[in-house]
């Protein structure tokens, strides 16, 4: 299903946006009673509903809705199947997860799965995944890591390294390592443990990417999503060189698959530009920001122009930054008015940006505009006007210094 594919390839924010669509699809899919449909159609509809409901259960604010659908699906399955049937076991595990991840319930599901399907079955892998997530949610990351490592070994032997359940287990283990990395990095003398956890996450991501490339091909959306998660981890840990290499590869694939102007490509371009700025390579960020702000049909240009000006300023090109800031001011003045509060706030932010960049002459120009705008505004905000005049005086003092 298209929704499933979009979910698998999506980031956390994109999955949140898919929640209403999945919920609507589940409601529509409920349809007439299963007894009134042909067996094949019945099974396909149930499988689709189960897949959608399981993904919906990953969104905290929609778990109750997912639990209701999973309860209905389980009731339908139990009309024709035993409680330890593999498909029923998968639904039981998904329902326990949606209902809050009770470890006791999930341990019972896992015990049934081990007894009826064996350690290498997909249903057992799913039960282990949900139990590991319950342990992690309770703060027992050691138990989660141990369970996931055992589950991966069995899944590789029974299902193969590229099965979706094996990949899901690897991603879950990578997520545990990620959280351990961040937690250890904040502790005194935790640097070595943080480094080991980072290596563990990196290893699982790389193996996941290899599996997904074999199944879906290099550059597939789901592959890029995993690659970008690894890059995000590197960035959050301050390993900007590795993050930059991953983001550069992601941008190249987006440009190849979607074209230079697609939303996915623009998002990848903005992300790479941000990393360049963090890594103190603003000269590389400038050409990445430049292509994304020319077409008014793409929406408000505020953020893109502001990013471009920031990149110019970071690169030391004050004249180019001034030109971009002027363009953005013209847009805001036309939209909101030259003396409107949002426009005045923007003038003050630009003045502050030039102050911070050590360009007092340009800062004076923008501080003067703030003072002029506040002087014209009725009713006058005397406190804000006094503060603006203080900032203007400080900027003028800066221009007078040798």
């Amino acid at each position: 299903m298209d929704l499933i594919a979009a979910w698998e390839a999506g980031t956390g924010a994109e999955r949140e946006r898919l929640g209403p669509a999945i919920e609507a699809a589940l409601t529509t899919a409920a349809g007439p009673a299963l007894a009134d449909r042909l067996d094949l159609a019945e099974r396909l509809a149930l499988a689709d509903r189960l897949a959608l409901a399981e993904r919906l259960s990953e969104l905290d604010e929609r778990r109750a809705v997912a639990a209701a659908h999973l309860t209905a699906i389980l009731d339908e399955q139990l009309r024709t199947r035993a409680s330890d049937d593999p498909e029923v076991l998968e639904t039981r595990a998904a329902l326990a997860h949606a209902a809050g991840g009770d470890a006791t319930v999930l341990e019972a599901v896992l015990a049934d799965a081990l007894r009826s399907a064996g350690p290498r079955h997909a249903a057992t892998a799913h039960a282990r995944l949900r139990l590991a997530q319950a342990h992690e949610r309770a703060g027992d990351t050691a138990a989660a890591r141990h369970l996931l490592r055992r589950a991966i070994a069995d899944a590789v032997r029974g299902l193969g390294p590229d099965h979706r359940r094996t990949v899901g287990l690897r991603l879950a283990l990578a997520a545990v390592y990620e959280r351990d990395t961040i937690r250890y990095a904040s502790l005194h003398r935790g640097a070595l443990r943080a480094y080991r956890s980072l290596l563990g996450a990196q290893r699982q991501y790389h193996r996941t990417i290899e599996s997904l490339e074999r199944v879906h091909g290099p550059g597939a959306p789901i592959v890029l999503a995993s690659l970008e998660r690894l890059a995000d981890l590197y960035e959050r840990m301050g390993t900007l060189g590795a993050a930059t290499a991953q983001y550069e590869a992601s941008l190249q694939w987006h440009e190849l698959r979607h074209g230079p102007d697609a939303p996915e490509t623009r998002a990848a371009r903005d992300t790479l530009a941000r990393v360049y700025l963090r890594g103190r390579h603003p000269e590389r960020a400038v050409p990445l920001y430049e292509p994304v702000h020319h077409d008014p049909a793409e929406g408000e240009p505020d953020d893109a122009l502001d990013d471009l000006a920031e990149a110019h300023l970071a690169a030391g090109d004050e004249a180019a930054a001034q030109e971009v800031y002027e363009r953005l001011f013209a847009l805001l003045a036309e939209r909101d008015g030259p003396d409107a509060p949002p426009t005045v706030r923007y003038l003050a932010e630009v003045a502050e940006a030039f102050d911070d960049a050590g360009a007092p002459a340009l800062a004076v120009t923008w501080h003067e505009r703030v003072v002029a705008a506040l002087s014209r505004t009725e009713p006058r905000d005397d406190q804000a006007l006094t503060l603006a005049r203080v900032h203007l005086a400080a900027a003028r003092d800066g221009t007078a210094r040798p």
Side-chain angles (χ1 to χ4, degrees), residues 4 8 47 50-52 54-55 86-87 90 122-123 125-126 129-130 155 159-172 208 211-212 215-216 222:
I4 302 294
E8 298 297 343
L50 177 57
L52 289 167
E54 184 180 350
R55 281 150 183 82
E87 292 185 18
E90 295 215 16
H126 187 212
L129 168 65
R130 295 311 189 189
L159 304 172
D162 302 336
H163 190 277
R164 68 183 184 89
R165 289 298 184 198
T166 309
V167 169
L169 290 166
R170 288 198 185 283
L171 285 172
T208 295
S211 292
L212 293 173
V215 175
H216 302 281
I222 191 171

Side-chain angles (χ1 to χ4, degrees), residues 128-366:
R128 281 172 161 169
L129 168 65
R130 295 311 189 189
L131 179 57
Q133 290 173 329
H135 283 311
E136 186 188 9
R137 193 176 299 117
D140 193 348
T141 57
R145 285 197 310 272
H146 176 71
L147 187 59
L148 287 168
R149 284 198 293 262
R150 288 185 57 193
I152 289 170
D154 283 336
V156 168
R157 296 187 188 98
L159 304 172
D162 302 336
H163 190 277
R164 68 183 184 89
R165 289 298 184 198
T166 309
V167 169
L169 290 166
R170 288 198 185 283
L171 285 172
L173 181 55
V176 174
Y177 277 131
E178 271 195 57
R179 294 183 182 93
D180 279 347
T181 300
I182 296 167
R183 179 168 59 90
Y184 287 136
S186 66
L187 299 177
H188 179 59
R189 296 184 178 178
L192 181 58
R193 288 184 175 182
Y195 178 68
R196 288 175 176 170
S197 296
L198 177 62
L199 290 180
Q202 177 184 348
R203 182 165 53 250
Q204 296 304 321
Y205 273 126
H206 280 305
R207 290 179 178 173
T208 295
I209 291 167
E210 290 170 0
S211 292
L212 293 173
E213 284 182 337
R214 285 193 291 268
V215 175
H216 302 281
I222 191 171
V223 176
L224 294 181
S226 297
L227 190 151
E228 288 162 5
R229 289 180 189 127
L230 174 60
D232 179 68
L233 173 62
Y234 281 135
E235 184 184 357
R236 282 185 284 129
M237 292 305 299
T239 314
L240 295 182
T244 299
Q246 299 286 357
Y247 283 131
E248 286 173 341
S250 175
L251 176 58
Q252 290 174 356
W253 278 113
H254 280 300
E255 289 177 334
L256 182 64
R257 293 183 68 91
H258 305 295
D261 299 322
E264 298 89 346
T265 307
R266 292 200 301 271
R269 190 184 294 126
D270 286 348
T271 299
L272 179 58
R274 185 196 69 236
V275 175
Y276 280 149
L277 287 177
R278 282 196 62 196
R280 299 181 181 178
H281 296 291
E283 71 285 352
R284 299 183 188 177
V286 168
L288 294 177
Y289 281 130
E290 283 178 334
V292 300
H293 66 271
H294 292 298
D295 185 2
E298 292 179 357
E300 297 293 347
D302 304 26
D303 291 341
L305 283 172
D306 196 55
D307 289 337
L308 177 59
E310 180 187 349
H312 279 308
L313 204 54
D317 194 341
E318 297 167 2
Q322 169 74 0
E323 179 185 353
V324 177
Y325 281 133
E326 290 283 10
R327 291 172 55 196
L328 183 49
F329 170 68
L331 289 169
L332 294 176
E334 181 180 357
R335 186 185 69 191
D336 300 323
D339 300 334
T343 309
V344 176
R345 283 196 297 270
Y346 166 74
L347 292 172
E349 288 170 1
V350 175
E352 184 179 350
F354 280 119
D355 278 331
D356 292 342
L362 288 169
V364 165
T365 300
W366 293 89

